[in-house]
Amino acid sequence: MSRRAVIFDLDDTLIVEQAFAMASLREAIAVFPGVDPVVSETDALESIRSVWRRGADYPLCLQLGLASWEGLWSAFDGNHESMAGLHAWAPAYRTEAWETVAAGFDAADPALAGLAGDRFDAAQRRGHPVIDGMEQALDGARDRGPVGLLTNGSSDLQRFKLDQAGLTDSFDTVVVSGEAGVGKPRPAVFALVLERLGADAEDSVMVGDSWERDVEGALASGMTAVWIADGRPPPERDPRVTVVDSVRELDGVLG
Ligand SMILES: [Mg+2]
């Protein structure tokens, strides 16, 4: 008997992630004298990314789908052994990233840089907003079969966000790229979640907002996909991909 699973992405599919992080960043850089956070947000992010890209484990971060701003509030705890170097680097990364941001604003003051870092961390821990319609989407998926979560990120952050959103017990299995040591779009991580759900790829669907990681990864794994477009045009048309604007529109799409 086939097992028809629905597998969800977390960030910007079920909870608001990037926009929330950018709001935290604006809050953080407001500590620097004369800086307009809205005007300077992009410069600050570029400073942070410049440090992130120089990290010895940057290729691993790309593979696991870890963003520069995640390193600003993650200890990289609870992950696969391949992330030991990132775990060790995290405090130094954070200090250097904020000092680079400060220097970019002509405010080479370690105390201000530290304050910005603390503000970002506190803002990120306040609780990510959930996407409207998330609970109904999960209920609808559960009617269809087993439900999994497949998320790229560090174990400590992804599980913290799940907990804050009240989602810890909402899935039959949770696969985090940091824990698995492999991330979307690699087929191995889709195979892992399908195996844990006892589901067949050809009868299962991936729901996510990243075309490259969620959609292309699912298709390469033999699944179909629902792309959360959020107003963006799809990069291409594919009969295996259903395009919706948000999880609110999942009802009736999962079949
Ligand atoms: Mg996402």
Side-chain angles (χ1 to χ4, degrees), residues 74-160:
S74 175
F76 297 115
D77 280 333
N79 292 300
H80 188 262
E81 59 188 9
S82 60
M83 282 174 69
L86 265 179
H87 171 79
W89 183 53
Y93 163 67
R94 201 165 310 178
T95 301
E96 190 182 344
W98 288 113
E99 288 184 351
T100 304
V101 170
F105 294 144
D106 294 322
D109 176 347
L112 269 187
L115 180 61
D118 290 347
R119 278 209 187 181
F120 181 82
D121 189 281
Q124 285 291 92
R125 290 178 195 282
R126 234 176 256 149
H128 289 59
V130 300
I131 304 260
D132 211 24
M134 171 205 73
E135 279 184 25
Q136 297 90 314
L138 289 174
D139 287 344
R142 239 174 256 122
D143 291 341
R144 188 178 185 269
V147 179
L149 185 87
L150 176 54
T151 175
N152 277 355
S154 179
S155 178
D156 56 346
L157 296 192
Q158 300 312 87
R159 296 208 176 259
F160 178 79

Side-chain angles (χ1 to χ4, degrees), residues 9-13 209-210 214:
D9 165 55
L10 177 63
D11 293 327
D12 294 317
T13 294
D209 69 298
S210 168
D214 297 314

Side-chain angles (χ1 to χ4, degrees), residues 157-168:
L157 296 192
Q158 300 312 87
R159 296 208 176 259
F160 178 79
K161 288 185 282 187
L162 279 175
D163 187 44
Q164 279 192 323
L167 288 169
T168 295

Side-chain angles (χ1 to χ4, degrees), residues 222-246:
M223 302 170 64
T224 56
V226 175
W227 186 53
I228 308 290
D230 194 22
R232 300 167 294 173
E236 58 188 272
R237 301 279 171 191
D238 188 306
R240 300 167 295 173
V241 183
T242 304
V243 177
V244 299
D245 254 322
S246 120

